[in-house]
Structure formats: structure tokens, C-alpha cells
């Protein structure tokens, strides 16, 4: 079973509301999550926060934080979880390539997650071409979201 189908089944069956925050993936993740069966029942939505002031003002990311960092990924996920009143949220941030950015090599990606049990992150190294990095980041984020939904308690945060 693919992860979007697994995500949809678990979220719907358990009554878990999910949300996403995206920088690196610019809406690609929300587009894929929205394809899940009956997404209108469990997918609260997403925020694409590409500019740093949007990350800070809309999602509560600390000022001057490195946008390609575990802390940023975690704060993006926690911010969108709060904003959307979701049980579980996942975020994407990093360097899509093909060039390095702020000392980070291309393909450096951080996925953040937030749920009632806390926050965390995963670091990925996905190559150096955007056409490789972005789809791989989306796939990994959907897997992370499905795993986090599976592990979470229904209605624990709302």
C-alpha cells in the first residue's frame, strides 16, 4: 500500500486531523496529501512559507534561525499544527539545489513533525538537482506523516 493511501485510511479511521508547512517543496506536499481519499475529512490544509518573514510572522519561527536546520523544521511543523488546530503536522525545509545555499550543500533537507507527543525532525541528503530533491522530499514527508498519524492519539490535541 502506498503511503498516501495508508495516510488517508489511518487519518480517516482514527479521526486525526493533519496539516503541512512547506518551504522547500513550495506546495507540492499539500498537493499530494490532498489527493488522499476523503482528504476533506482529515486534511486541514497547508501553508507555503518560502520567505523568512512569513515563516516568522505566520508560523512563529524564531527570528534569524537558519532556514535549513532541524530547529526551523520543527518550528514550522509546530506552527502549522497550532494554526490549523491539527493533531499531526509535518514540514519541509532545505536546499533544493543545484547550488549550495548559506553553507548547506544542495539536497540537504529537514523534515519536521509535531504532535501531542512532541516535535522532532529527520535529516535527508537527497542529491543536488531540484528535479530529484523535491519529489524525494515529498515522498519522505508523506511517509513521515503517515507514520506520525499512525503513532498519534486521536483527538489528543484538540
Amino acid at each position: 500500500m502506498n503511503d498516501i493511501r495508508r495516510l488517508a485510511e489511518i487519518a480517516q479511521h482514527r479521526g486525526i486531523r493533519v496539516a503541512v508547512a512547506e518551504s522547500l517543496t513550495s506546495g507540492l506536499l499539500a498537493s499530494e496529501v490532498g489527493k488522499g481519499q476523503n482528504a476533506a475529512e482529515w486534511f486541514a490544509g497547508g501553508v507555503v512559507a518560502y520567505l523568512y518573514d512569513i515563516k516568522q510572522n505566520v508560523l512563529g519561527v524564531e527570528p534569524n534561525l537558519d532556514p535549513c536546520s532541524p530547529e526551523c523544521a520543527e518550528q514550522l511543523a509546530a506552527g502549522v499544527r497550532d494554526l490549523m488546530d491539527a493533531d499531526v503536522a509535518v514540514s519541509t525545509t532545505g536546499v533544493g539545489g543545484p547550488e549550495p545555499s548559506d553553507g548547506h550543500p544542495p539536497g540537504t533537507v529537514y523534515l519536521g513533525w509535531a504532535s501531542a507527543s512532541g516535535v522532532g525532525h529527520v535529516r535527508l541528503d537527497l542529491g543536488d538537482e531540484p528535479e530529484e530533491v523535491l519529489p524525494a522530499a515529498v515522498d519522505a514527508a508523506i511517509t513521515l506523516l503517515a507514520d506520525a498519524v499512525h503513532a498519534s492519539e486521536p483527538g489528543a490535541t484538540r
Side-chain angles (χ1 to χ4, degrees), residues 127-152:
D128 51 7
E129 294 299 323
E131 50 276 352
E132 298 168 359
V133 174
L134 299 180
V138 168
D139 288 347
I142 290 170
T143 299
L144 178 60
L145 187 55
D147 291 346
V149 166
H150 180 72
S152 85

Side-chain angles (χ1 to χ4, degrees), residues 36-100:
Q37 185 175 9
N38 298 315
E41 297 177 17
W42 52 269
F43 181 37
V47 173
V48 175
Y50 216 72
L51 295 175
Y52 199 86
D53 62 323
I54 303 303
K55 291 176 177 77
Q56 184 179 342
N57 296 331
V58 175
L59 296 175
V61 173
E62 294 173 20
N64 304 314
L65 192 63
D66 181 353
C68 182
S69 68
E71 297 81 10
C72 185
E74 291 175 3
Q75 289 179 25
L76 287 168
V80 80
R81 181 177 165 259
D82 290 344
L83 181 68
M84 300 279 180
D85 193 26
D87 298 300
V88 177
V90 165
S91 68
T92 64
T93 192
V95 180
E99 301 299 323

